[in-house]
Amino acid sequence: MPAQQYLLETLGLEPAPAGHEGAEGAARPVGRREQARAVNLAAARQFREREGHLTVPRKHVEVLPDGTEIKLGAVIDNTRRRADRLSEEQRAEWTALGMRW
């Protein structure tokens, strides 16, 4: 939006050059959902490595190395309940971690 562009320019930020794909080389910017999904998977991975399984109590909170607290029990429960809305790629990531559907 023009107003947002103006505000960013007043902060000294310049638009990215045409064809610039970002620091990660991604074809599209990562949205909040993708970031949340990545953090949730990291928490599940950490729990799995430590405990050897993915049977997480509903109220369990996993603390990531950076101090982020993830309500992993709720994430696992919600992921199971909403499995029909996951893409094949997302479902495969959870299955690889040992998710019981």
Side-chain angles (χ1 to χ4, degrees):
M1 301 289 298
Q4 291 171 326
Q5 289 174 349
Y6 170 76
L7 291 171
L8 291 171
E9 288 171 2
T10 59
L11 293 172
L13 300 173
E14 298 293 324
H20 180 71
E21 295 181 357
E24 298 293 321
R28 61 184 175 85
V30 177
R32 287 183 182 163
R33 284 187 182 166
E34 288 86 6
Q35 288 174 338
R37 186 172 67 85
V39 170
N40 291 339
L41 281 168
R45 220 174 269 115
Q46 177 178 298
F47 182 90
R48 168 104 169 131
E49 288 173 7
R50 185 181 66 248
E51 302 293 330
H53 59 82
L54 205 56
T55 307
V56 183
R58 175 80 168 125
K59 297 209 178 245
H60 177 74
V61 176
E62 188 72 16
V63 180
L64 296 176
D66 66 355
T68 304
E69 293 184 357
I70 303 297
K71 295 178 181 178
L72 187 59
V75 168
I76 297 290
D77 189 46
N78 290 336
T79 301
R80 282 188 184 124
R81 291 174 193 260
R82 299 173 183 152
D84 59 328
R85 296 186 218 160
L86 296 175
S87 70
E88 289 299 319
E89 175 188 332
Q90 292 169 341
R91 198 172 166 94
E93 288 174 326
W94 282 104
T95 301
L97 284 176
M99 174 72 99
R100 289 177 306 132
W101 299 102

